[in-house]
């Protein structure tokens, strides 16, 4: 069973995602994750995955964009 996705954005410095099922791309400029049927792409500068568990993650840095891909 798939956990529903919940995303909390704190300004342009932090995003918390519950329901993450995997990290597809990780760089200081781009973090791309899989959440159920969606792929979410975070763009910015100095991005860091601060915390990663089996179903959630926290990305910090200077966020400049969020893209949702089906």
């Amino acid at each position: 069973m798939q956990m529903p996705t919940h995303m909390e954005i704190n300004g342009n410095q932090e995003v918390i995602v519950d329901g993450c099922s995997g990290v597809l791309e990780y760089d200081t400029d781009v973090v791309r994750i899989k959440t159920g049927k969606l792929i979410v792409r975070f763009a910015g500068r100095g991005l860091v995955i601060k915390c990663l568990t089996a179903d959630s993650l926290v990305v910090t840095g200077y966020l400049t964009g969020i893209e949702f891909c089906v």
Side-chain angles (χ1 to χ4, degrees), residues 22-64:
V23 177
L24 303 173
E25 182 179 359
Y26 177 41
D27 198 352
T28 58
D29 297 329
V30 174
V31 175
R32 204 164 46 104
I33 62 170
K34 184 159 179 59
T35 60
K37 295 181 181 179
L38 285 178
I39 293 175
V40 183
R41 181 180 183 269
F42 302 102
R45 294 190 303 271
L47 299 181
V48 175
I49 296 178
K50 186 175 179 182
C51 180
L52 177 64
T53 66
D55 62 354
S56 66
L57 85 153
V58 177
V59 177
T60 61
Y62 184 80
L63 294 163
T64 58

